[in-house]
């Protein structure tokens, strides 16, 4: 059995995908990144191999991506997460023309042409606004877990405007709103809309075109997805497991012989 592996070492989580020669996902895994990136890469490879009932000899190619891609010493090549998310999203939704990736520490918008090639991209990697870290901080202030936060945000009919998207100042603003007696539901809905309004300029910069596909761990939050649909005014694509899109793209590039590496942005 010939297998192809993509490993995405992100700021918060490490993801891995194993594909067979028919481009079917044989196994996948998501674990916290932690401090020792090299060990995490080895650990997640072991996990997906065990899940597949396979050994290292069955793996024909390994491509790494993400913040920690250079630390995956056993990968043949490393490819930017922009290229890998583009490849993964286009494979899942071939009509994709705009990708919005919301990760733990940054957010990105990627524009594609009709062939799935990257034509432009924009990133917010200088502050935590519009990222998973922002949500985690706000959930802590509101004393609620992220799953419950997403449920409340997706069903809330009203919101309060959050005037700043800076994580530090937004925390102070949320505390002030709590003291004013504003409901948790309105605050959460306002936070999700603030995230989308932070992301919208990135998407506009690359030329917001349908279809839009959302990737990254934050795309698992139904409150964020509802806010994106509400602000954008149309339906969007959400993969079944948006968190592994980058690892899937890396595995596809591994299978295809790495041709896309030459076109990496």
């Amino acid at each position: 059995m010939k297998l192809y592996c993509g490993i995405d070492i992100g700021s918060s989580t490490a993801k891995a995908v194993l594909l067979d020669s028919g481009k079917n996902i044989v196994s996948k895994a998501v674990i916290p990144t932690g401090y020792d990136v090299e060990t995490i890469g080895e650990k997640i490879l072991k996990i997906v191999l065990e899940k597949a009932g396979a050994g290292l000899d069955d793996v024909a190619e390994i491509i790494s991506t993400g913040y920690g891609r250079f630390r995956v010493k056993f990968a043949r090549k490393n490819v930017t997460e922009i290229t890998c998310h583009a490849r993964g999203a286009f494979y899942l939704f071939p009509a994709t023309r705009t990708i919005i990736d919301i990760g733990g520490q940054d957010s990105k918008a990627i524009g594609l042409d009709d062939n799935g090639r990257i034509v432009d991209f924009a990133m917010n990697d200088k502050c935590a606004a519009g990222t998973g870290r922002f949500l985690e901080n706000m959930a802590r202030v509101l004393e609620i877990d992220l799953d419950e936060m997403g449920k409340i945000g997706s069903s809330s009919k009203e919101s309060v405007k959050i005037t700043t998207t800076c994580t530090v100042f937004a925390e102070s603003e949320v505390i002030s709103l709590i003291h004013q007696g504003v409901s948790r539901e309105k605050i959460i809905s306002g936070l999700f809309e603030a995230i989308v309004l932070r992301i919208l300029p990135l998407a506009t910069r690359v030329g917001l075109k349908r279809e839009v596909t959302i990737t990254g761990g934050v795309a698992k939050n139904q409150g964020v997805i509802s806010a994106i649909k509400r602000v954008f005014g149309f339906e969007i694509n959400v993969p079944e497991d948006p968190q592994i899109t980058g690892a899937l793209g890396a595995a596809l590039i591994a299978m295809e012989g790495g041709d896309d590496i030459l076109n990496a942005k």
Side-chain angles (χ1 to χ4, degrees):
M1 177 170 56
K2 187 175 287 188
L3 300 173
Y4 303 87
C5 184
I7 296 177
D8 178 4
I9 307 294
S11 59
S12 301
T13 58
K15 289 78 65 175
V17 169
L18 271 183
L19 294 179
D20 63 18
S21 56
K23 296 186 179 180
N24 301 302
I25 295 179
V26 176
S27 65
K28 60 185 179 179
V30 180
I31 60 175
T33 298
Y35 175 78
D36 191 344
V37 176
E38 288 186 23
T39 298
I40 288 299
E42 294 169 357
K43 180 179 180 180
I44 200 164
L45 175 62
K46 182 180 179 181
I47 290 171
V48 290
L49 286 173
E50 288 178 350
K51 283 186 175 182
L56 189 56
D57 291 343
D58 296 311
V59 182
E61 194 73 271
I62 301 173
I63 298 290
S64 63
T65 189
Y67 277 114
R69 63 187 181 274
F70 298 109
R71 304 285 297 279
V72 184
K73 303 299 184 183
F74 52 84
R76 184 181 72 85
K77 292 282 186 180
N78 54 75
V79 183
T80 68
E81 59 266 34
I82 292 169
T83 297
C84 290
H85 275 269
R87 184 67 189 90
F90 189 76
Y91 172 73
L92 294 170
F93 302 99
T96 298
R97 296 298 174 268
T98 305
I99 299 162
I100 296 173
D101 171 43
I102 313 174
Q105 298 277 23
D106 69 15
S107 51
K108 315 174 191 69
I110 308 166
L112 303 182
D113 65 16
D114 293 348
N115 297 311
R117 299 283 182 172
I118 298 169
V119 294
D120 200 2
F121 69 91
M123 294 182 65
N124 164 35
D125 59 355
K126 301 302 182 186
C127 78
T131 70
R133 185 67 65 199
F134 176 85
L135 278 181
E136 289 173 3
N137 287 346
M138 295 305 107
R140 176 181 52 78
V141 173
L142 291 165
E143 297 182 351
I144 191 171
D145 64 47
L146 287 173
D147 288 341
E148 186 65 20
M149 191 178 183
K151 291 175 184 176
I152 291 173
S154 62
S155 60
S156 178
K157 303 300 182 185
E158 296 182 84
S159 64
V160 63
K161 185 175 179 60
I162 305 298
T163 59
T164 178
T165 54
C166 169
T167 301
V168 175
F169 293 132
E171 182 172 328
S172 297
E173 187 171 354
V174 167
I175 292 171
S176 176
L177 290 169
I178 292 170
H179 290 164
Q180 292 172 35
V182 177
S183 72
R184 181 182 279 170
E185 289 76 11
K186 287 184 179 181
I187 294 173
I188 290 172
S189 184
L191 286 169
F192 288 150
E193 288 189 4
I195 287 176
V196 180
L197 292 174
R198 179 74 179 189
I199 293 167
L200 184 58
L202 296 178
T204 303
R205 199 179 309 165
V206 303
L208 180 59
K209 297 178 181 178
R210 301 190 198 185
E211 292 180 4
V212 176
T213 298
I214 310 297
T215 66
V218 175
K220 296 169 68 176
N221 188 302
Q222 287 305 309
V224 173
I225 297 302
S226 295
I228 292 173
K229 291 178 181 178
R230 192 161 58 247
V231 173
F232 283 20
F234 53 79
E235 289 296 314
I236 56 177
N237 300 323
V238 183
E240 181 180 344
D241 192 348
Q243 202 166 9
I244 66 164
T245 308
L248 171 61
L252 289 165
I253 293 172
M255 173 178 288
E256 293 157 3
D259 290 342
D260 282 358
I261 295 171
L262 300 176
N263 299 293
K265 289 280 183 176

